[in-house]
Amino acid sequence: MSTLVQISVLPNQQEDESVILPLALEKAKIKKKDIREWRIRKRSIDARRKPVKINLQVEFWKKDEVRKAIPAFIPQQVSGSKEIAIIGAGPAGLYAALRAIEAGLKPIVFERGKDVRARRHDLAKINKEQIVNPESNYCFGEGGAGTYSDGKLYTRSKKRGNVLKALEWFVHFGADPEILVDAHPHIGTNKLPKIITSMREAIVEAGGEVHFNSKLTDLKLKNNKIEAIQINENQWLSFDEVILATGHSARDIFYLLHEKNIKIEAKPFALGVRIEHQQKLIDTIQYHGDDENPYLPPASYSLVEQVEGLGVYSFCMCPGGIIAPCATAQEEVVTNGWSPSKRNNPYANSGIVVSVNPEDLPNFDPNDPFVSLNFQKNVEHACWEAAGKTQQVPAQRMKDFVEGKVSVDFPKTSYQPGIVSVDLNKVLPPLIATRLRKAFVLFGKKLKGYYTNEAVLHAPESRTSSPVSIPRHPESLEHIEVSGLYPCGEGAGYAGGIISAAIDGINCVDAIAKKYVESNS
């Protein structure tokens, strides 16, 4: 059993062993001669007051204690094993495939988009030519939405599964070990493709399969059990275990399930705008003027308010980041944000979104599973029309938005396709716009300087989570009506980011493995 202690140091001391070790030993009441080894287990920034401190969790092993080293990933050859289909090669799908290999099952992954490197050409077309490939974009393709939108690995979903295992797999496949230490780990869009490629290569090497440009187009059921899947409208393949890890933007899958009379439900989600400040301003606010400190990373923020009965909060905050076009169809616009690993761009961006319950919507019908999805689609289409029917987005300075003024000019933006001056109060539904206006003023009171006309709103931020859920049994994780179908990850409503989606993929395979073992015992 190791010993854990918490200490605080100044930013310039966070890697200074001569400061850290004596402080930690004193706190633990252990003598240096009695320890075998030690490490920094967690690191976080405490910027609540000046001076800014670094909180460190230090772990010791005494001389009579052994630190157990367990391999992160334990593959086995599965080429001749029981096959399971995995639809989608995002974090849920990839982690499901890796876990299947550990469990002795053969994963066959079907991804509608392209491999992680080929996706780049389609992303370039969105940014430079404003052409959206509906099968290959920021949301669809190997690695899923997170690959080219930042790679944040922080999750609050501690009860859903083994967060450490999920992070250790990232390190095993090439991520910086620092993600195991940082309280808010982040890989960076520039580094993720290589890691995702390594995961795929491990799946194939162990006998699994990964197929690109392979879209699920139909399902065959018999006696409420999965019997086969159709790929690309022409190829039927027999499977009795199918993990559906298609992501929050695969609307065609929701329509398919509905057509097959497989139950889906409208669910709460969030919608708003993506706001961009100068990173230097956020650093000054968060670090109490100590914004030139070379030992502090670009600052982030987290904001939340209750406004007229609904939550308004920051989402996917990207220090030193870029706003990206994330539409999955031509007649819509969608924004998201990402950061490179160094977070060294001059801008800070974040989604600022309003929580929306299906019951809050003006056309709510308890029997309509698409009420939230249709609301989302209508906003994205309205913004597309308002900005000129391209991948430019409607935009407005923050104070102008609150005061109902059309912005006459803008500071430079990181959003490559460009922005168009629009009064967002006339484009966003009143349900959203009213609460955003009030929230921005309140946020300005929490972070002095945040409420400024130098900040620009880009609309909409609408893909925070799936607007549809696919109900499943809490223990078997199978759909409540269809045996052998495992709704998984963000698209099914059971995850909210890379790590929680990855964990859900692991959990679904564990459920299949348990079922398989029990049926053969």
Side-chain angles (χ1 to χ4, degrees), residues 215-337:
K215 181 178 179 179
L216 176 69
T217 48
D218 205 352
L219 296 166
K220 187 178 290 183
L221 309 181
K222 186 176 182 179
N223 299 324
N224 294 323
K225 285 191 66 175
I226 283 287
E227 191 172 69
I229 62 173
Q230 185 192 64
I231 301 297
N232 294 337
E233 299 183 343
N234 58 23
Q235 183 183 18
W236 281 100
L237 301 166
S238 296
F239 287 98
D240 57 10
E241 308 287 354
V242 176
I243 294 177
L244 197 60
T246 48
H248 60 42
S249 292
R251 293 166 173 170
D252 57 302
I253 297 299
F254 302 138
Y255 295 131
L256 170 62
L257 296 177
H258 190 58
E259 288 167 9
K260 306 296 287 189
N261 292 316
I262 298 173
K263 186 176 179 62
I264 60 173
E265 300 171 331
K267 69 175 277 291
F269 71 113
L271 187 146
V273 297
R274 186 152 283 268
I275 189 168
E276 186 168 75
H277 290 79
Q278 288 291 315
Q279 181 62 51
K280 184 173 176 57
L281 172 63
I282 302 302
D283 291 344
T284 300
I285 294 170
Q286 293 293 75
Y287 294 148
H288 314 289
D290 193 15
D291 52 289
E292 299 295 334
N293 192 323
Y295 297 97
L296 290 172
S300 62
Y301 61 82
S302 178
L303 293 165
V304 62
E305 284 285 351
Q306 284 291 316
V307 181
E308 296 183 6
L310 296 179
V312 184
Y313 60 93
S314 57
F315 170 81
C316 183
M317 196 273 149
C318 301
I322 289 170
I323 299 178
C326 292
T328 52
Q330 196 64 46
E331 294 189 3
E332 65 188 28
V333 289
V334 179
T335 64
N336 198 355

Side-chain angles (χ1 to χ4, degrees), residues 63-190:
K63 287 188 175 178
D64 59 346
E65 296 169 341
V66 178
R67 179 180 176 184
K68 294 181 180 179
I70 302 172
F73 177 61
I74 308 171
Q76 53 184 309
Q77 184 53 235
V78 296
S79 55
S81 302
K82 174 180 171 59
E83 297 179 349
I84 63 171
I86 299 171
I87 313 301
L94 287 173
Y95 268 59
L98 292 168
R99 183 59 174 166
I101 288 166
E102 282 195 330
L105 301 169
K106 179 179 178 178
I108 303 182
V109 181
F110 299 94
E111 168 55 51
R112 69 191 298 163
K114 300 178 183 178
D115 70 79
V116 71
R117 298 203 176 275
R119 286 177 71 185
R120 289 178 174 174
H121 302 292
D122 298 307
L123 303 188
K125 285 186 177 181
I126 298 175
N127 280 297
K128 297 175 183 177
E129 302 174 40
Q130 306 195 22
I131 297 172
V132 179
N133 182 334
E135 308 301 340
S136 179
N137 43 62
Y138 275 94
C139 291
F140 300 151
E142 185 180 24
T147 300
Y148 286 107
S149 57
D150 207 51
K152 294 182 187 68
L153 303 180
Y154 176 64
T155 180
R156 293 184 177 91
S157 305
K158 309 296 184 185
K159 294 181 181 179
R160 291 183 180 174
N162 192 334
V163 173
L164 180 59
K165 181 180 181 67
L167 291 172
E168 285 178 339
W169 277 9
F170 268 111
V171 173
H172 177 83
F173 291 106
D176 191 323
E178 285 295 294
I179 67 170
L180 302 175
V181 177
D182 291 334
H184 290 80
H186 164 260
I187 293 178
T189 291
N190 53 318

Side-chain angles (χ1 to χ4, degrees), residues 463-483:
R463 304 287 177 96
T464 57
S465 64
S466 175
V468 174
S469 69
I470 309 173
R472 71 187 186 190
H473 191 277
E475 292 181 7
S476 73
L477 305 190
E478 293 171 288
H479 188 276
I480 58 172
E481 297 173 347
V482 182
S483 177

Side-chain angles (χ1 to χ4, degrees), residues 407-480:
S407 300
V408 297
D409 60 9
F410 291 109
K412 191 175 179 182
T413 174
S414 68
Y415 185 77
Q416 194 170 349
I419 58 179
V420 176
S421 183
V422 170
D423 184 357
L424 295 177
N425 294 286
K426 296 179 180 178
V427 180
L428 297 173
L431 172 76
I432 304 298
T434 300
R435 289 171 173 82
L436 287 177
R437 288 196 302 269
K438 294 181 178 181
F440 285 133
V441 175
L442 294 171
F443 290 161
K445 293 177 180 178
K446 286 186 173 181
L447 298 181
K448 302 299 183 184
Y450 182 87
Y451 181 58
T452 169
N453 224 25
E454 292 305 302
V456 178
L457 315 182
H458 301 62
E461 169 76 51
S462 51
R463 304 287 177 96
T464 57
S465 64
S466 175
V468 174
S469 69
I470 309 173
R472 71 187 186 190
H473 191 277
E475 292 181 7
S476 73
L477 305 190
E478 293 171 288
H479 188 276
I480 58 172

